Amino acid sequence: MQQKEPLWAAAARAIERADALLLTAGAGLGVDSGLPDFRGDTGFWEAYPPLRERGLSFGEIAQPQWFRNDPELAWGFYGHRLHLYRGTTPHNGFDILRRWAVKRPGGAFVYTSNVDGHFQRAGFAEEAVCECHGSLNHFQCSRPCSPSIWSAEGCTVAIDETTFRAHTPLPSCPACGAVARPNVMMFNDGGWLSERTAAQEERLDAWLESVHGASVVIVECGAGTAISTVRTMSEQVARHLHAPLIRINVRESQGPASTLSFPLGAAAALARLDSLLPV
């Protein structure tokens, strides 16, 4: 359903007048970059046919037990995603958000459940990004033997594209030699090392405190209700700061009564809003 023009104008006006932006994002933001949509088993299995043959859903394969019980399968899945994210260029919507951010006197902060590192790839400062579910671009020990978290830069994982199983040698912990794993919060994950994300959350809290009393606008892209971490964050900050919430989501744009809702993909909606802003 096409939105009425006054709603677009209201959202553009809010962005134009904002002193600062909180940019929140879920997996839907990356779909316009060509990343697979894991919504429901059908979309997931289209991206990973060998897992369909085994009857494994995203929620079942995205568990730390596989790094103990079948590390080649675990790294087949996560290694493929690592290379996919590295080889995918963030779409133009990221650049639009970055341009909006640099024009605000209070700047912007990103809060995302995405583990692909695409905000940093698009030019956002590492210090202004909070990855609430961790990052596939960072590793940790699968045991874990220590609180160490290290960069995945330079690491590649060879994968059999017909089985989605990884070839040895697999990434390993430099301290104990055990199989490494991504520093990503998985399902049923008691071993995720959250220190890196906790430090990001502290910086986000400090930024939110610094813009308290200023005109803040929240722009949320592609955050669904299945895992509602990002949506909850957006709505909590909107209430706390009395800030407008612009929610962009193809299927689930609904929100609290004051939400400016746009049932479109992120790239299209951001481009249209950008066209309404002064150059």
Side-chain angles (χ1 to χ4, degrees):
M1 178 178 178
Q2 187 173 3
Q3 295 291 327
K4 295 180 180 179
E5 191 62 33
L7 189 59
W8 290 96
R13 184 167 57 252
I15 294 168
E16 181 183 357
R17 295 177 178 178
D19 296 318
L21 298 175
L22 175 63
L23 307 175
T24 63
L29 177 63
V31 171
D32 288 327
S33 297
L35 296 178
D37 183 359
F38 290 164
R39 181 185 173 89
D41 290 340
T42 300
F44 174 67
W45 285 336
E46 285 179 357
Y48 295 96
L51 299 182
R52 173 172 49 198
E53 295 172 8
R54 297 187 57 154
L56 289 173
S57 66
F58 175 71
E60 291 168 327
I61 189 61
Q63 297 201 31
Q65 65 181 1
W66 295 106
F67 287 93
R68 299 187 300 271
N69 301 335
D70 194 343
E72 287 83 8
L73 179 64
W75 269 114
F77 175 57
Y78 279 99
H80 181 271
R81 289 177 67 193
L82 174 64
H83 298 317
L84 176 65
Y85 295 159
R86 284 176 176 170
T88 301
T89 301
H91 61 76
N92 191 53
F94 285 88
D95 184 59
I96 290 171
L97 291 172
R98 186 186 57 79
R99 287 192 285 104
W100 291 354
V102 299
K103 291 180 179 179
R104 310 275 81 78
F109 213 104
V110 172
Y111 182 85
T112 181
S113 59
N114 297 339
V115 299
D116 52 30
H118 277 196
F119 276 101
Q120 293 93 326
R121 286 264 307 278
F124 285 84
E126 178 73 32
E127 296 75 20
V129 177
C130 180
E131 296 156 306
C132 63
H133 292 167
S135 168
L136 197 51
N137 296 296
H138 291 80
F139 293 168
Q140 64 167 82
C141 180
S142 61
R143 289 180 176 176
C145 70
S146 76
S148 178
I149 299 170
W150 63 94
S151 172
E153 185 175 357
C155 177
T156 58
V157 182
I159 300 165
D160 185 328
E161 294 290 341
T162 61
T163 63
F164 277 96
R165 296 182 66 84
H167 298 294
T168 56
L170 303 175
S172 61
C173 173
C176 72
V179 173
R181 51 160 281 187
N183 181 232
V184 169
M185 183 173 67
M186 304 177 193
F187 296 97
N188 301 315
D189 193 353
W192 178 53
L193 298 177
S194 61
E195 288 81 356
R196 179 174 175 272
T197 293
Q200 293 177 332
E201 290 172 342
E202 289 182 4
R203 291 195 291 270
L204 171 58
D205 288 342
W207 180 83
L208 287 172
E209 183 63 28
S210 75
V211 298
H212 190 84
S215 175
V216 179
V217 171
I218 302 154
V219 181
E220 179 191 283
C221 298
T225 58
I227 300 176
S228 60
T229 312
V230 172
R231 290 172 76 97
T232 299
M233 175 66 171
S234 299
E235 293 172 11
Q236 287 178 342
V237 173
R239 287 194 299 270
H240 181 64
L241 298 182
H242 305 288
L245 168 57
I246 298 171
R247 172 163 283 160
I248 300 168
N249 191 298
V250 172
R251 304 180 185 93
E252 299 175 305
S253 63
Q254 74 280 3
S258 59
T259 305
L260 299 171
S261 301
F262 298 95
L264 289 173
L270 293 172
R272 183 166 177 183
L273 285 170
D274 191 51
S275 73
L276 298 175
L277 295 173
V279 177

